[in-house]
Every structure is written in C-alpha cells, then in structure tokens.
C-alpha cells in the first residue's frame, strides 16, 4: 500500500532522512517512534508529498509520489492525515471543516457531504458540536474533528503525525480510543507517536528512527521484547521509565 | 492672535460653500477609486510574494520596493509630467491633449498603484502569520494550492489584517491631498484657496480638518462593525487602531 | 521628447540640487530628533496612570493621525506667524509641523513596543524582587527596544520621503529645487527621474540596512 525505497532528504548539508525504506501493507498499523529530531515527522510527510525528498522513491497504491506527472491533490485526497496541532481551519465550524474537501475535492453534492459529516460527528461523539468553531472546542474534541475530517474522504490509509502530543493528559485517551477503533476496523495506518501503550495494543510493527535513519523495523512483540539496537533499548528505557 | 477676526459665516457664502462641498466630493472620489485599484492589485501582489514561484515572488518584491521607496509626491510628478513623454508618440499625445480629467485620473492611478504596494505588504504579512501546518492540512486533504489559498489561507489572512487595511484606506484618503500638487481641487486645496481669497485661514483649515476627522471616525467605526461581524467565534477581535 | 535625454543638466545644476538635498537632510534630521523626543514623552504619558492624561494624549495622537500631512503643513505655515505675531522663517514653521505630526506616529510605535513585552515578563521580574522601575529598566525596555528600533527607523525613512511635501509651501528641498530646474529648463523627465532614482537608492539601501539590523538583534 505505502512503500518507501531508499528515501533521503538534505537541508543543505544537513541530512534529515538517511536512506529510509519501509513498506506498509494493506490493513497494517505501523507505529513510528524515536527521539525528537529523528526525522519521523519528515518521513510521514514524505508519504503524501507534503515534504519533498531529495532521493529515493515513495509509492502509494502503486503511484509514485515524487513523479512529476503525479496529480498530488488527487493522491492526497485518498490518504487521510492528522496533525499534531489539529490544524482545523479556524474560520469554519466543525461541520464545515469536515465538509469542505468533500465538496471541493471529491465534488460530492451538499446533501451527501452533509450526511457523511453528520454520521462522522455522531461516531466521534460530537454530534452536539457540529456548529461550533475550533476555538470553542477542547483539544481532544478538535483532534477528533480532525480525524473525522480525514475520514470523510473515505481514505485508503491514514497518516497520524504525533496526534496526541499537543493534548492535555486527560484528553489523550479519547483520541487514542478513536484510533484503536480505526485500527480494529482494518484501516491502514502509519502513526508517529510516543504512546507505547497504543503501539503494544494495535500496532503490527514498530519502526524506530534516530538521526534520520530507520534503525529498527520489527513486529510489535519482538520490538518490545528484545529490541536489537542499543539506541532503541536506550530510548525505550527512557520513555517507559515512569 | 487676539486681533484675529473670526468670520465663520463666510464659509456658507457663495462660492466658498460650493468649493468645500466639491473639494470634499473630489477627495472621497479619488480615495475610493484609488482603493478600487489598490485592493485587488495589492492582494494579487501580496499573494504572489508568498507563492513558491521565484519569478512571481521577485516581481512582487520589486513592485513593493519601487513604490514604497520613492516619495509619493515624486511619483505624482512622474505620472503627470514624465510618463506622457516616455509613451509612444500617439499615446503621449492622447494623454496630453484628449484624455478627459487628466489631473484627476492621473492622481487616482498614482495613488492606486502606490497604495497597492502597501496593501500587498499587509496581505503578505497576514498570509505569513498563518501557521504552515494550515497549508499542509489543506494540501493533505487533496486541495490544490490555489484552493488552499481560496478556502483556508486568505479568509483567515484578510480577517487578521482588517485593522491594517483600514489604516491603509485612511492613508489613501489622506494622501489624496497630494493631488493638489498637479492641480486637482480636492478638499485641502479648496481650503487653501478659500484662505487665499478671504483670509479666513483658520475657518477654512478647521473645516477641512473636521471633515477629514469625521470620515476617519466613520470609517473606523464601520470597520469595527465589519471586524465584529467577521470575527471567528471563540477568538478575540484585535481591535481597530 | 525633443533632443533625447540631457543628463548634463544634472551636472550643471549640481550645486543648486545639492543645496536642496542639504535642506531635505536637515529637515529630516531635526524632525526625527524632535519627533522622537516628543513621541517618547507622549508614549510614557499615554501609558501612565495620571487621570485624564492618557485619554488626552490618545486624542492628540488620533487627531493628528486623521489629518493629511499637507494640511498640517498649511496649518502651521499660516498659524505660527499669526500666533507669534512675527514672521518666522517657513523652515521653522514646517519643522514644527513635522515634529508635532511625526511625534504622533512615533509615540504609537514606542507604546506598541512597550506593550508588546508579555505581562509574564513583568511578573517574573517582580517575583525576583526587582522594583517597578528596575523591571522597566532591565527587563521590559531591553526587549521593547529591539522590536521598536526597526519600526522607528522605517518610519524615519517614510519621514525622509514625506519632507518632499514642503514643496507645497515653496521651501527649497531636494524635490522643489529639481522642480525649479525642470520648469526653468523644460527638462521634467531628467529632473524628476533623477529625484525618484536618488530617493529609491537611498531609501531602498536604508530599508535593507534596517532589515539586517532587525534580523541580527531579533529575540
């Protein structure tokens, strides 16, 4: 479904991504973790072409992301993305945020789009908040609207870029619950996160990155049981200490 | 000062009353027409400066730098005295002999193009104030870059810059007084003319000042309403001036 | 245009034009100095807690900012000789107009600079045991000045351009001297282009310099 082959990226002389290769099969949930600045966010943004890369190849469902003749908007419409800071559009209500791309990208008629939006808001437990604006919602609610916004496009895969890092602790669960639900339904997911509980529970594989390189790519049980690299062990010991 | 003889009624006498009215009308008309040029042109230039296309960005920057680093009065003289000389002969002759209202139209054009450079800077700073993540979120859902501008970035940017656009509009309103240097009889020049004819300097200047202040006040109040109406629920308005 | 460009005219009139430039620079320098001094006083008064004073200052600032500079020049050009009862040189009438006018703009920039320092910074300074004055001196002003200086400099560049408006009272600044030569020798193209290019080069370089300053001292 999602495939990265030898992807590298430089900012001038600084190497952000170092020869990264990764395959995510249909229905797979892959968690990407690593210390801050390790390139995880950049990597996930390469998957839908938000970050251009210097070398290598990224394909989604057989279509090359980096190719000149690829219609990036069309490709991106099929891949949902959820951001660390929610990135809801502040001048639109929750419902309008979810409806926008259905109308402007998919060309759905207003009634169909509205029905889809209502169903998703209900599923997120936010039916009463449809008319509210982002600034009137809590962080957890905003992130659930953002997930609904991505799901409204009927994506073939979902990318999550640290979806709970900007949330207060008591709101993390409500967002993770939604993500667990998605994983259990068989959604293909790439998730950058430090939530190791989530990884243990639903991830098929865990990828560990450091200094722009993929250091470890292992089945979840193997990763938590016996991480092979010293750096991954060190990272896990720090993150699981408390 | 004690010997100054006030003569307010003279402002209501013929022809001075008419001078003030027509001067005020010209001032408003120049400002509005110039703004009609400045707003769309400035917005386009401001947008150009935020795109990824280098030639567009360069052209936008060059425009802004040229227009804001030459005194407006010098620009007025350039448009009025120099440009007709540099045009192809037929055009130049038309501008000099046959163009209707030459002084008026020249000042509208000059003020419009100059104010566009100011609008461009506001639009650019408004767009740059929006976090990059918003742009990414728009792209990630499949919107084209143009759609991201249309539905995501511009609606927020314009809300942010309402106060600065207000002061730019007031700027073009005040700057319309420069039209007097090429002979347009707008408010300031009519006041000056009344002073020359009647020696009622203070009355004439005070009236003009009052009219400028009144329009400024009305525009600010009106724009506060606009700001309130377009305010995004849950956020705080920035407040005009 | 007849006879093509005649740039020798600039050389022939160089001393005269230079005299105009000197007046422009003098006027700008004095107006910036006076405007800054008065602007600082106005800003401090506006942020003070003396009854009525902040409102009065706000009134003054908003009043001047709603008036075209040309009108202010006319006001003072006519008003000052009548007020003082003697003929004052037009240079000084105009200078006073510029100082009073620019002070309104400078005071707003200074006030915005001081207000831009986050309240938490003052709280932190007071929590350390600094006095109000010390908090202002060691914490608020050093931060405020950094945001203020580039804006004040940019405003001064605008001011340099605005001095050309003394044309309306016939004071012989750079633009007016060029205008005189242009009229006398019927050479508007050369003269006005020369004025425009000179300002463009000076103001563009100055604003580049301001930008560099801003970047170097940004917090």
């Amino acid at each position: 479904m999602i495939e990265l082959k030898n992807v590298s990226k430089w900012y001038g002389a600084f190497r952000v991504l170092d020869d990264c290769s990764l395959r995510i099969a249909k229905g797979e949930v892959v968690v990407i973790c690593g210390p801050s600045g390790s390139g995880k966010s950049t990597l996930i943004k390469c998957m839908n072409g938000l970050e251009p890369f210097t070398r290598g190849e990224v394909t989604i469902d057989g279509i090359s992301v980096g190719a000149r003749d690829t219609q990036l908007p069309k490709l991106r419409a099929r891949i949902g993305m959820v951001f660390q800071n929610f990135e809801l559009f502040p001048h639109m209500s929750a419902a309008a945020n979810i409806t926008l791309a259905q109308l402007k990208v998919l060309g759905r008629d207003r009634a169909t789009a509205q029905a889809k939006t209502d169903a998703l808001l209900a599923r997120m437990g936010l039916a009463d908040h449809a008319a509210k604006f982002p600034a009137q919602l809590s962080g957890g609610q905003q992130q659930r609207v953002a997930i609904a916004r991505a799901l409204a496009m009927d994506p073939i895969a979902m990318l999550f870029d640290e979806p709970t890092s900007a949330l207060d602790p008591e709101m993390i669960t409500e967002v993770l619950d939604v993500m667990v639900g998605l994983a259990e339904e068989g959604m293909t997911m790439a998730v950058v996160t430090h939530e190791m509980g989530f990884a243990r529970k639903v991830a098929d594989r865990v990828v560990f990155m450091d200094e722009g390189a993929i250091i470890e790519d292992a089945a979840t049980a193997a990763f938590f049981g016996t991480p092979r690299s010293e750096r991954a062990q060190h990272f896990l010991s720090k993150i699981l200490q408390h | 000062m004690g010997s100054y003889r006030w003569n307010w009624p003279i402002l209501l006498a013929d022809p001075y009353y008419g001078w003030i009215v027509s001067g005020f009308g010209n001032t408003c008309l120049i400002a509005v027409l110039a703004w009609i040029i400045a707003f769309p042109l400035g917005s386009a230039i401001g947008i150009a400066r935020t795109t990824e296309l280098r030639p567009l960005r360069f052209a936008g920057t060059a425009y802004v730098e040229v227009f804001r680093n030459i005194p407006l009065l010098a620009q007025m003289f350039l448009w009025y005295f120099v440009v007709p000389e540099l045009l192809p002969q037929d055009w130049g002759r038309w501008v000099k002999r046959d163009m209707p209202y030459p002084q008026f139209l020249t000042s509208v054009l000059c003020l419009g193009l100059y104010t566009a450079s100011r609008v461009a800077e506001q639009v650019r700073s408004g767009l740059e104030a929006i976090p990059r993540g918003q742009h990414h979120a728009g792209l990630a859902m499949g919107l084209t870059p143009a759609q991201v501008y249309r539905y995501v970035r511009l609606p927020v940017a314009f809300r942010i810059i309402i106060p600065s656009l207000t002061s730019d509009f007031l700027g073009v309103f005040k700057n319309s007084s420069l039209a007097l240097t090429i002979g347009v009889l707008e408010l300031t020049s009519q006041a000056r003319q009344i002073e020359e004819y009647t020696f009622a300097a203070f009355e004439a200047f005070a009236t003009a000042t009052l009219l400028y202040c009144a329009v400024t006040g009305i525009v600010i109040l009106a724009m506060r309403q606009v700001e309130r109406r377009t305010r995004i629920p849950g956020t705080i308005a920035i407040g005009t001036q | 245009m007849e006879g093509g460009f005649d740039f020798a005219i600039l050389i022939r009139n160089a001393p005269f034009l230079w005299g105009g430039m000197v007046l422009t620079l003098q006027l700008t320098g004095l107006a910036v100095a006076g405007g800054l001094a008065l602007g600082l006083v106005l800003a401090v008064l506006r942020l003070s807690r003396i009854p009525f004073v902040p409102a009065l200052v706000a009134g003054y600032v908003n009043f001047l900012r709603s008036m075209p500079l040309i009108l202010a020049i006319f006001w003072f050009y006519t008003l000052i000789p009548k007020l003082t009862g003697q003929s004052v040189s037009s240079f000084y009438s105009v200078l006073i107009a510029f100082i009073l006018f620019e002070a309104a703009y400078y005071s707003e920039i200074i006030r915005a600079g001081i207000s831009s320092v986050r309240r938490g910074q003052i709280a932190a300074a007071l929590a350390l045991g600094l006095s109000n004055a010390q908090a202002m001196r060691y914490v608020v002003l050093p931060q405020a000045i950094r945001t203020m200086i580039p804006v004040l400099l940019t405003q001064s560049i605008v001011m340099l351009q605005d001095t050309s408006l003394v044309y309306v009272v016939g004071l012989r600044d750079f633009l007016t001297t060029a205008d005189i030569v242009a009229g006398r020798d019927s050479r508007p193209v050369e003269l006005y282009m020369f004025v425009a290019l000179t300002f463009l080069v000076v103001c563009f370089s100055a604003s580049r310099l301001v930008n560099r300053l801003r970047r170097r001292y940004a917090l």
Side-chain angles (χ1 to χ4, degrees):
Chain A
M1 173 77 66
I2 302 175
E3 185 162 8
L4 286 77
K5 271 192 215 148
N6 311 100
V7 173
S8 294
K9 179 182 172 81
W10 282 269
Y11 281 128
F14 180 68
R15 189 158 54 190
V16 202
L17 292 179
D18 180 7
D19 204 28
C20 296
S21 296
L22 177 66
R23 283 186 66 142
I24 302 175
K26 189 166 190 302
E28 238 183 339
V29 176
V30 173
V31 161
I32 302 164
C33 63
S36 66
S38 60
K40 346 176 261 294
S41 278
T42 310
L43 186 78
I44 203 169
K45 283 182 178 149
C46 285
M47 295 183 188
N48 62 354
L50 283 182
E51 286 276 2
F53 41 89
T54 322
R55 203 185 286 161
E57 197 185 6
V58 177
T59 52
I60 302 264
D61 208 17
I63 301 165
S64 166
V65 171
R68 222 165 245 278
D69 55 347
T70 299
Q71 294 255 333
L72 272 181
K74 279 209 173 123
L75 188 64
R76 286 173 181 148
R78 301 170 63 203
I79 308 286
M81 184 159 200
V82 175
F83 297 82
Q84 179 174 2
N85 295 312
F86 329 134
E87 302 300 353
L88 291 181
F89 306 134
H91 58 301
M92 296 179 185
S93 68
N97 261 283
I98 302 172
T99 316
L100 177 71
Q102 297 186 62
L103 299 176
K104 304 299 172 192
V105 178
L106 299 182
R108 286 182 184 151
D109 64 82
R110 190 161 276 285
T112 316
Q114 195 59 54
K116 182 93 188 166
T117 299
D118 290 343
L120 280 164
L121 279 169
R123 173 172 165 194
M124 298 290 153
L126 294 169
D128 298 339
H129 300 288
K132 285 194 184 162
F133 284 75
Q136 298 169 315
L137 298 170
S138 74
Q141 290 169 331
Q142 288 190 57
Q143 195 60 301
R144 282 182 285 150
V145 173
I147 294 174
R149 179 173 75 177
L151 290 175
M153 307 294 283
D154 295 319
I156 55 172
M158 289 279 285
L159 310 175
F160 292 86
D161 183 11
E162 305 209 28
T164 56
S165 303
L167 292 175
D168 290 334
E170 75 271 20
M171 293 171 185
I172 292 178
T173 327
E174 64 188 64
V175 171
L176 287 180
D177 285 346
V178 172
M179 292 168 60
V180 169
L182 277 177
E184 284 168 351
E185 282 170 23
M187 176 63 81
T188 308
M189 292 163 67
V191 186
V192 172
T193 185
H194 289 163
E195 296 294 335
M196 289 302 130
F198 171 81
R200 259 189 233 271
K201 198 163 172 186
V202 296
D204 297 298
R205 275 166 37 225
V206 178
V207 169
F208 175 76
M209 288 184 74
D210 196 15
E211 292 177 354
I214 293 180
I215 307 290
E216 195 145 343
D217 179 352
T220 306
F223 181 80
F224 286 111
T226 49
R228 276 166 290 177
S229 70
E230 209 170 293
R231 277 188 274 182
Q233 288 169 14
H234 184 63
F235 174 75
L236 275 181
S237 74
K238 273 204 287 192
I239 206 167
L240 298 174
Q241 219 163 43
H242 301 288
Chain B
M1 191 75 199
S3 62
Y4 188 77
R5 295 184 44 199
W6 294 97
N7 186 3
W8 286 102
I10 195 153
L11 293 180
L12 292 175
D14 202 41
Y16 309 121
Y17 178 74
W19 288 4
I20 287 184
V21 171
S22 77
F24 182 59
N26 274 337
T27 289
C28 294
L29 201 59
I30 292 174
V32 168
L33 291 178
W35 186 252
I36 289 174
I37 297 177
F39 184 68
L41 179 62
S43 302
I45 295 167
I47 292 168
R49 292 192 72 182
T50 63
T51 59
E52 317 250 305
L53 299 167
R54 277 182 141 233
L56 264 184
R57 279 213 313 262
F58 177 80
T61 309
Y63 184 97
V64 170
E65 292 298 345
V66 166
F67 279 86
R68 78 166 171 200
N69 285 314
I70 297 176
L72 185 50
L73 184 54
Q75 293 186 32
M76 196 66 92
F77 288 171
L78 284 181
W79 288 115
Y80 192 62
F81 296 113
V82 176
V83 169
E85 302 289 339
L86 301 180
L87 286 174
Q89 225 169 23
D90 297 347
W91 295 23
R93 193 177 304 135
W94 181 79
V95 169
K96 279 188 266 184
R97 287 201 199 141
D98 304 325
M99 189 172 85
Y101 311 111
Q103 294 96 345
F104 182 87
L105 290 181
T106 304
S107 24
V108 166
L109 178 78
C110 169
L111 286 164
L113 296 181
Y114 167 76
T115 309
S117 72
R118 311 202 53 113
V119 172
E121 278 304 90
Q122 311 293 6
V123 170
R124 176 175 75 104
S125 74
L127 285 168
E128 282 174 355
I130 298 169
R132 202 160 168 72
Q134 288 279 306
H135 181 62
H136 276 167
L139 291 178
M141 55 207 267
L143 297 174
T144 62
Q147 283 177 317
V148 174
Y149 272 107
R150 164 75 184 77
Y151 297 110
V152 179
R153 299 173 75 184
L154 286 173
V156 177
F158 276 118
R159 282 179 171 90
I160 297 175
I161 62 172
I162 288 175
S164 5
L165 285 181
T166 306
S167 63
D168 280 337
F169 176 74
L170 292 171
V172 71
F173 176 68
K174 287 180 285 178
N175 284 334
S176 64
S177 57
L178 268 75
L180 73 85
T181 59
I182 58 169
V184 177
L185 293 173
E186 46 64 69
L187 184 54
T188 301
S189 70
Q190 294 288 28
R192 175 81 161 153
Q193 193 167 295
I194 294 175
E195 184 246 343
E196 276 163 5
Y197 276 67
T198 67
F199 302 104
F202 297 126
E203 294 86 338
F205 290 153
T207 308
T209 304
L210 212 69
L211 285 169
Y212 281 110
C213 288
V215 171
T216 302
I218 290 167
V219 169
I220 287 177
L221 287 180
M223 291 313 285
R224 276 198 194 142
Q225 279 303 317
V226 171
E227 215 182 333
R228 201 165 303 157
R229 290 264 170 83
T230 56
R231 197 181 73 199
I232 298 165
T235 59
I236 304 154
I238 305 148
T240 310
Q241 274 207 341
Chain C
M1 229 181 73
E2 285 153 44
F5 289 101
D6 173 19
F7 286 111
I9 194 173
L10 301 177
I11 297 165
R12 282 200 301 277
N13 291 286
F16 185 55
L17 292 170
W18 174 245
M21 185 50 112
V22 168
L23 187 132
T24 292
L25 294 176
Q26 278 175 341
L27 186 58
T28 308
L30 292 171
V32 166
L36 272 178
L38 182 58
L40 182 63
V41 173
L42 289 175
V44 169
L45 287 177
R46 186 148 184 203
L47 291 168
S48 75
R49 301 214 177 121
I50 314 165
F52 306 117
V53 167
L56 268 173
V57 174
Y60 171 84
V61 168
N62 288 335
F63 175 66
L64 276 178
R65 295 208 313 169
S66 19
M67 194 194 291
L69 180 51
I70 291 193
L71 187 56
I73 293 174
F74 282 147
W75 260 118
F76 285 94
Y77 186 72
T78 340
L79 184 73
I80 290 184
K82 288 195 176 146
L83 270 181
T84 54
Q86 49 195 328
S87 67
V88 178
S89 87
S90 48
F91 181 83
Y92 288 103
S93 316
V94 166
L95 177 61
I96 292 171
F98 271 96
I99 289 177
L100 294 176
F101 195 82
E102 292 301 320
Y105 285 83
Y106 283 134
S107 81
E108 279 300 280
I109 296 169
I110 296 170
R111 182 175 73 103
I114 292 175
S115 320
S116 75
V117 178
R118 286 183 294 113
R119 299 203 72 97
Q121 291 285 307
I122 300 173
L126 297 180
L128 285 171
L130 299 181
S131 70
N132 265 320
Q134 284 175 318
M136 192 48 116
R137 163 80 184 76
Y138 296 109
V139 178
V140 177
L141 280 182
Q143 298 185 49
I145 281 173
R146 266 171 240 222
T147 50
M148 233 146 67
I149 296 263
V151 193
L152 289 172
L153 288 174
T154 304
Q155 177 66 27
S156 304
I157 298 174
V158 172
M159 154 101 226
L160 169 67
Q161 297 183 27
D162 281 348
T163 54
S164 60
L165 294 182
V166 301
Y167 167 86
V168 298
V169 292
L171 206 57
R172 293 189 171 185
D173 75 321
F174 185 47
L175 177 62
T176 311
T177 50
D179 181 68
I180 292 169
V181 176
R184 194 183 56 203
D185 299 358
S186 303
R187 284 286 167 192
V189 176
E190 288 86 343
L191 268 304
Y192 294 137
M193 296 240 287
F194 174 61
V195 170
L197 281 175
T198 307
F199 271 106
L200 181 61
V201 169
V202 171
C203 296
F204 178 71
S205 321
S207 64
R208 273 290 141 112
L209 222 64
V210 172
N211 259 334
R212 222 194 271 170
L213 267 180
R214 187 198 321 260
R215 246 172 280 145
R216 179 180 294 177
Y217 294 106
L219 286 174

